[in-house]
Amino acid sequence: MDTGSLTTPFGRRPMTLTLVKRQFETKKADTPTAVDKWRVFRDIGDARTRLGLQDRALAVLNALLSFFPATELGSDKNLIVFPSNAQLSARANGIAGTTLRKCLGTLVEAGIIIRKDSPNGKRYARKSGEGDIEDAYGFSLAPLLARAAEFAALAQEVAAEQRRFRIMKDRLTIVRRDVRKLITVGMEENLPGDWAAAEACFIDIVGRFVRRPTLDDISTSLDEMNLLHEEVSRMLETQEEIKKSDGNDIAFGCHIQDSNTESCNELEPSFEKKQGEKSVTNKTTTRKDEPEVFPLSMVLRACPEITAYGPGGSVSSWREMMAAAVTIRQMLGVSPSAYEEACEVLGQAGAAIAIACILERTGHINSAGGYLRDLTSRARRGEFSLGPMLFAQLRANDVGAQKAG
């Protein structure tokens, strides 16, 4: 295989270190004796995203290969093709000249072909008296032979990634269906538990699905949905453990009383009127609905350190959760105004969750108050929601527990 010495492009086209590196790699590669040029082309097509190639660049490569007379690229053959731009354009479905030159440059930068320019920049071949090509100027296909194994490996990686994508997408579809139906069972059967919060969490996860997800997007969504599935399953398994002193109370807080409503409003994330009451809005001012609420058990699993600051060293209700958050706020040096603003934007339960997450990461946060204000500002602009932060903390704890075990 004649790869020649290091070559530089004709005219104003610059020589770059990348081009030098590509030529050295081609020279030093453990080159096979021969490869099927169309098989290599298919591998490059399968791995085009990894190589940074568009469909038009592949069309130009296909045209270049068509000018190589043999089916196999061999080390004993001259691997330089020298078609004119007009000939290339005709075989590349009439591609425009500007686009053709851009695609050729892309193929060179990707290390798919190497330029071997003549003294005047024209592409041609010199033949011997017997008709054999002694020297040629154009595009060398030597990288296709030298990197054939690499292209094949890349194609296999892409195929494996696509299989993983399909598998994980199927799993996400199934667990999404399971969670939706399990939540419906809990709500329709009036089972004890944070079912409204679980549904809000489900909606939050689904709301962050993107139209064209990557493997990482699918993986993140699957992790979050699996965590919610575990939480919903736990709620179904432990429903008998949830006791209520008043059947009218809900899992997120207390109903509004006619007297002393201030203490309840300070701590509880949401409120429900008692059965039989026409309205409570005439007796007290009702806070706005909580924008995001998650099952308390899930929050405590993600942020276990907050339990030490609850009454008696435990947190068993949202009231105790928010009381603990107030204590932690003072301990972390978060100003009352910053916490009040967070309550207004995130809701009282949401602010408590944010404080709990900040407590978990206090060693990585320079200013808890500044961090909370930043989260609040982003949430006000619609650029932040509690879900990703809570799920990230939940995953971090699960990974830490696995390593410890």
Side-chain angles (χ1 to χ4, degrees), residues 41-63:
F41 177 75
R42 287 193 298 272
D43 289 339
I44 292 174
D46 292 340
R48 61 184 178 276
T49 55
R50 299 285 187 90
L51 297 169
L53 301 179
Q54 301 293 331
D55 291 343
R56 288 188 175 183
L58 290 176
V60 173
L61 178 59
N62 180 80

Side-chain angles (χ1 to χ4, degrees), residues 16 98 109 129 142-143 152 166 190 199 216 232 277 348 351 368 376 382 398:
T16 66
T98 303
E109 287 292 331
R166 290 192 295 268
N190 294 320
E199 182 172 45
D216 288 340
V232 171
E277 285 185 345
Q348 291 176 337
T376 303
D398 286 347

Side-chain angles (χ1 to χ4, degrees), residues 273-324:
K273 63 184 179 181
K274 288 193 269 186
Q275 292 179 353
E277 285 185 345
K278 293 182 179 179
S279 175
V280 296
T281 55
N282 294 332
K283 300 179 181 180
T284 185
T285 300
T286 304
R287 293 183 63 89
K288 67 177 183 179
D289 292 337
E290 295 293 328
E292 285 187 283
V293 183
F294 301 88
L296 180 60
S297 56
M298 176 182 287
V299 175
L300 295 179
R301 192 151 59 93
C303 308
E305 291 188 20
I306 196 173
T307 57
Y309 299 89
S314 65
V315 172
S316 58
S317 68
W318 278 106
R319 173 182 289 277
E320 294 178 351
M321 170 79 177
M322 287 182 280

Side-chain angles (χ1 to χ4, degrees), residues 82-304:
F82 40 90
S84 66
N85 280 359
Q87 292 173 315
L88 270 178
S89 177
R91 293 200 186 182
N93 303 318
I95 192 171
T98 303
T99 305
L100 174 64
R101 289 189 290 273
K102 183 179 179 180
C103 290
L104 288 171
T106 300
L107 292 171
V108 172
E109 287 292 331
I112 308 298
I113 58 176
I114 295 175
R115 290 183 188 274
K116 186 180 178 183
D117 288 347
S118 66
N120 61 4
K122 301 294 184 180
R123 300 173 201 147
Y124 57 87
R126 297 188 184 279
K127 296 184 178 180
S128 64
E130 292 77 19
D132 297 328
I133 295 178
E134 291 184 331
D135 203 1
Y137 299 97
F139 297 103
S140 173
L141 303 179
L144 297 179
L145 179 60
R147 301 179 64 190
E150 177 189 345
F151 295 143
L154 283 176
Q156 291 175 1
E157 288 178 11
V158 170
E161 185 175 293
Q162 291 174 344
R163 285 194 296 272
R164 289 196 300 272
F165 181 88
R166 290 192 295 268
I167 291 171
M168 295 183 71
K169 189 174 182 180
D170 289 344
R171 290 176 179 173
L172 178 59
T173 299
I174 293 172
V175 72
R176 175 185 177 181
R177 178 193 66 200
D178 292 345
V179 170
R180 175 65 273 175
K181 292 189 175 183
L182 291 175
I183 292 175
T184 300
V185 168
M187 299 182 76
E188 291 183 350
E189 298 295 331
N190 294 320
L191 299 177
D194 298 349
W195 297 109
E199 182 172 45
C201 186
F202 174 82
I203 293 172
D204 176 72
I205 297 173
V206 174
R208 285 183 278 109
F209 286 0
V210 295
R211 187 172 182 179
R212 294 182 178 178
T214 63
L215 182 60
D216 288 340
D217 293 331
I218 293 291
S219 178
T220 298
S221 297
L222 181 58
D223 286 344
E224 293 179 350
M225 198 64 76
N226 277 331
L227 290 170
L228 181 57
H229 187 281
E230 292 175 10
E231 200 63 35
V232 171
S233 299
R234 187 179 292 106
M235 288 164 61
L236 290 171
E237 291 173 0
T238 62
Q239 57 175 296
E240 295 302 325
E241 299 177 5
I242 302 177
K243 303 297 182 182
K244 298 181 180 180
S245 59
D246 185 348
N248 295 324
D249 290 349
I250 61 171
F252 299 108
C254 66
H255 54 267
I256 296 177
Q257 303 291 341
D258 290 351
S259 62
N260 194 21
T261 59
E262 183 178 356
S263 62
C264 186
N265 287 342
E266 287 179 354
L267 299 177
E268 294 300 330
S270 62
F271 309 95
E272 292 277 338
K273 63 184 179 181
K274 288 193 269 186
Q275 292 179 353
E277 285 185 345
K278 293 182 179 179
S279 175
V280 296
T281 55
N282 294 332
K283 300 179 181 180
T284 185
T285 300
T286 304
R287 293 183 63 89
K288 67 177 183 179
D289 292 337
E290 295 293 328
E292 285 187 283
V293 183
F294 301 88
L296 180 60
S297 56
M298 176 182 287
V299 175
L300 295 179
R301 192 151 59 93
C303 308

Side-chain angles (χ1 to χ4, degrees), residues 227 297-306 356-357 359-361 389-405:
L227 290 170
S297 56
M298 176 182 287
V299 175
L300 295 179
R301 192 151 59 93
C303 308
E305 291 188 20
I306 196 173
C357 289
L359 177 64
E360 293 290 326
R361 303 189 66 249
M389 182 171 69
L390 184 63
F391 282 118
Q393 189 59 49
L394 193 58
R395 285 196 297 273
N397 286 353
D398 286 347
V399 170
Q402 291 174 3
K403 289 182 179 180

Side-chain angles (χ1 to χ4, degrees), residues 354-374:
I355 286 290
C357 289
I358 291 174
L359 177 64
E360 293 290 326
R361 303 189 66 249
T362 186
H364 305 281
I365 298 174
N366 294 328
S367 171
Y371 188 74
L372 182 62
R373 284 190 184 277
D374 179 63

